[in-house]
């Protein structure tokens, strides 16, 4: 009788643990005295490895941390948008209040682009400033209190999760999974060696033949698992010698482009161009701004550090707006990158209009369906108080369904 060999290093953590558990189980059922003597040590290793596997580990929080970070970034940008738009309201007292609030926000530039700890601290300090006796009435006047409160709540939720991430990380070598796996391997190898010794010296031991047969079946199943995994990885494009995927025309090596609803094509068809650079929308969100005003945020990256926003009112739907003239129909188009406003143009203010361009939007607050058309818009070098002070061009022809946040 021969006990087949098997290198357990290729097993994933849960597979490795289960392999040891299964060995302990079949040995217990075989009830061979000379094997039983080694089982307590094996069980101790199994228990320690399982305990380490069941511990909350830092990586488990990464997804939630990223989600909470994205949420507070979004709240920070919503506050920015509210303050920025308030600076262009017709009421002079609201404009003045927005100017003062924006001065405070400039003390903490590009918060959404900062490191986690710096952003957390920056938002707390910003909130303390804006909630002070001097600035709190101004925040309320421009309608930004709800945005500020939401930012504070999202920031504290992120800070709490980040702290949990620290405390949940195993603090000592007691839960070093690599070390525990090595200890389990030693215990498994001791049992397997004892089985082989008995097969060589006492082959007639009751139950030994069945035990070795069952163990060899475990080894064969594990070999099969690893072989199938290796084959699956080879079939993935770019990871091995598997055949390249075919497009609909049957040509190898030319992957079909994903259906993005026309986003990313030339604006003469569908898509977005800003300063001649094609942009791809990865997320679209509709949110309330103030009163009956809302905005559609078209994100060009998952973190929301680059986006085009269209502010709108329902009664402005399906109208072609001349972006070079003041009008009674409310609209705003802004483009932000890395936490800073690149350009901002709106229907009011002599310095806030475009040099050229038309805008049409059709946005449904219930279903989230939207359509935005901007033709050959040009922003001047000094577009009022907001923007980077450079000339810009942009064109939009896009439609889709956005997430509606009420």
């Amino acid at each position: 009788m021969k006990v087949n060999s098997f290198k357990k290093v290729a097993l994933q953590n849960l597979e490795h643990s289960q392999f040891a558990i299964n060995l302990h189980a079949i040995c217990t059922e075989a009830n061979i005295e000379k094997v039983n003597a080694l089982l307590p040590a094996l069980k101790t290793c199994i228990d320690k490895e399982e305990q380490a596997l069941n511990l909350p580990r830092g990586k488990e929080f990464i997804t939630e941390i990223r989600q909470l970070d994205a949420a507070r970034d979004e709240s920070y940008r919503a506050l920015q948008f509210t303050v920025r738009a308030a600076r262009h309201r017709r009421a002079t007292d609201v404009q003045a209040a927005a100017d003062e609030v924006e001065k405070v926000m400039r003390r903490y530039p590009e918060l959404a682009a900062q490191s986690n700890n710096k952003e957390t601290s920056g938002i707390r300090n910003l909130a303390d400033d804006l909630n002070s006796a001097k600035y709190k009435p101004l925040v309320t006047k421009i309608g930004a209190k709800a945005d500020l409160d939401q930012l504070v709540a999202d920031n504290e939720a992120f800070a709490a999760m980040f702290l949990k991430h620290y405390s949940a990380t195993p603090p000592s070598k007691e839960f070093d999974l690599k070390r525990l796996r090595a200890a389990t391997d030693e215990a498994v190898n001791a049992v397997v060696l004892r089985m082989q010794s008995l097969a060589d010296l006492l082959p007639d031991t009751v139950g030994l033949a069945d035990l070795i047969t069952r163990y060899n079946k475990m080894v064969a199943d594990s070999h099969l698992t690893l072989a199938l995994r290796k084959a699956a990885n080879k079939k993935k494009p770019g990871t091995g010698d598997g055949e390249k995927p075919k497009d609909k025309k049957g040509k190898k090596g030319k992957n079909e482009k994903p259906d993005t609803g026309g986003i990313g094509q030339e604006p003469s068809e569908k898509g977005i161009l800003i300063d001649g650079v094609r942009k791809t929308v990865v997320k679209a969100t509709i949110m309330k701004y103030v009163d009956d005003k809302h905005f559609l945020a078209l994100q060009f990256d998952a973190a929301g550090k680059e986006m085009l926003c269209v502010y709108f009112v329902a009664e402005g739907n399906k109208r072609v707006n001349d972006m070079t003239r003041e009008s009674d129909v409310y609209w705003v188009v802004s483009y932000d990158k890395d936490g800073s406003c690149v350009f901002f143009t709106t229907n009011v203010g002599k310095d806030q209009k475009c040099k050229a361009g038309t805008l049409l939007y059709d946005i449904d607050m219930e279903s989230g369906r939207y359509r935005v058309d901007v033709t050959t818009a040009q922003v001047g070098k000094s577009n009022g108080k907001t923007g980077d002070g450079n000339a810009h061009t942009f064109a939009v022809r896009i439609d889709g369904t956005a997430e509606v946040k009420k």
Side-chain angles (χ1 to χ4, degrees):
M1 292 180 292
K2 177 175 174 55
V3 181
N4 294 335
S5 62
F6 176 59
K7 294 182 179 180
K8 298 170 284 299
V9 67
L11 292 176
Q12 295 177 354
N13 288 332
L14 292 176
E15 294 168 345
H16 184 274
S17 174
Q18 192 60 46
F19 186 90
I21 291 171
N22 291 342
L23 175 60
H24 186 276
I26 64 174
C27 288
T28 300
E29 291 178 13
N31 194 24
I32 300 173
E33 183 179 356
K34 293 186 180 300
V35 175
N36 289 346
L38 301 175
L39 295 185
L42 176 59
K43 183 65 167 61
T44 298
C45 291
I46 289 172
D47 290 343
K48 289 183 177 180
E49 191 172 334
E50 279 199 298
Q51 184 182 8
L53 285 169
N54 290 333
L55 278 175
R57 307 184 74 80
K59 290 183 179 179
E60 296 180 14
F61 297 103
I62 289 178
T63 298
E64 190 168 0
I65 285 173
R66 287 175 177 169
Q67 290 173 343
L68 291 173
D69 186 37
R72 67 174 179 175
D73 288 349
E74 190 172 292
S75 295
Y76 173 71
R77 285 187 292 273
L79 177 63
Q80 281 185 314
F81 295 151
T82 299
V83 175
R84 189 174 299 144
R87 295 181 64 206
H88 306 284
R89 301 272 287 276
R90 292 186 181 275
T92 56
D93 59 334
V94 175
Q95 290 181 11
D99 285 341
E100 292 301 315
V101 172
E102 189 167 68
K103 287 178 183 178
V104 176
M105 296 190 69
R106 286 174 184 165
R107 299 174 190 167
Y108 310 94
E110 300 183 10
L111 279 179
Q114 303 299 329
S115 65
N116 287 325
N117 287 335
K118 190 172 182 179
E119 183 176 355
T120 300
S121 178
I123 290 175
R124 281 176 175 163
N125 285 305
L126 172 64
D128 288 344
D129 289 348
L130 293 181
N131 279 319
S132 66
K134 179 179 179 180
Y135 292 104
K136 191 171 185 178
L138 303 180
V139 171
T140 303
K141 180 180 283 292
I142 66 175
K145 184 179 184 304
D147 293 314
L148 179 59
D149 290 346
Q150 185 63 55
L151 175 60
V152 170
D154 290 341
N155 193 52
E156 292 308 311
F158 176 87
M161 174 51 64
F162 211 66
L163 184 61
K164 187 177 179 182
H165 157 72
Y166 282 134
S167 61
T169 302
S172 70
K173 292 183 179 180
E174 181 181 355
F175 301 115
D176 181 350
L177 196 53
K178 184 177 181 180
R179 184 179 63 82
L180 292 176
R181 278 186 58 151
T184 302
D185 287 345
E186 288 185 13
V188 169
N189 293 340
V191 172
V192 172
L193 182 61
R194 179 66 55 87
M195 290 163 54
Q196 186 63 65
S197 297
L198 290 173
D200 294 337
L201 301 174
L202 299 171
D204 295 330
T205 300
V206 177
L208 180 61
D210 287 342
L211 174 60
I212 293 176
T213 299
R214 295 181 73 184
Y215 176 76
N216 286 342
K217 180 62 169 62
M218 279 175 49
V219 170
D221 286 345
S222 296
H223 277 305
L224 179 60
T225 296
L226 297 178
L228 290 173
R229 181 177 298 146
K230 184 177 181 180
N233 288 336
K234 282 187 175 181
K235 289 181 180 179
K236 294 179 180 179
T239 62
D241 299 325
E243 185 179 20
K244 293 181 180 180
K246 298 179 180 180
D247 63 10
K248 289 185 178 179
K249 295 181 180 179
K251 297 180 180 179
K252 296 182 180 179
K254 292 186 177 181
N255 296 336
E256 181 188 356
K257 292 182 179 180
D259 179 8
T260 59
I263 299 169
Q265 302 176 31
E266 294 297 333
S268 58
E269 301 170 18
K270 282 187 179 180
I272 298 176
L273 280 179
I274 298 179
D275 292 332
V277 178
R278 182 183 301 169
K279 302 293 182 180
T280 299
V281 175
V282 300
K283 182 179 180 181
T285 308
I286 296 174
M287 289 182 279
K288 184 174 181 180
Y289 163 48
V290 63
D291 298 330
D292 60 339
K293 299 177 177 65
H294 304 79
F295 67 91
L296 167 68
L298 301 173
Q299 292 181 206
F300 303 143
D301 66 313
K305 295 180 180 179
E306 183 181 12
M307 64 172 64
L308 186 77
C309 290
V310 179
Y311 293 73
F312 64 93
V313 287
E315 61 268 22
N317 276 339
K318 301 181 183 179
R319 300 184 189 180
V320 177
N321 298 283
D322 185 346
M323 301 178 77
T324 68
R325 299 174 178 270
E326 289 192 46
S327 69
D328 293 332
V329 177
Y330 172 79
W331 59 265
V332 173
V333 180
S334 67
Y335 171 52
D336 288 67
K337 188 174 183 180
D338 296 329
S340 298
C341 178
V342 178
F343 63 75
F344 180 99
T345 182
T346 182
N347 66 306
V348 297
K350 63 180 181 179
D351 296 325
Q352 295 301 309
K353 301 181 298 298
C354 288
K355 301 296 183 183
T358 62
L359 164 68
L360 181 147
Y361 61 79
D362 182 6
I363 305 174
D364 183 7
M365 279 297 300
E366 295 302 320
S367 66
R369 289 292 304 172
Y370 66 89
R371 171 194 169 194
V372 178
D373 291 338
V374 177
T375 59
T376 56
Q378 298 178 15
V379 180
K381 285 188 176 181
S382 299
N383 201 41
K385 305 173 183 178
T386 308
D388 63 3
N390 297 317
H392 299 280
T393 61
F394 64 101
V396 180
R397 188 179 178 194
I398 193 171
D399 60 71
T401 302
E403 177 187 359
V404 179
K405 294 189 175 182
K406 298 182 179 180

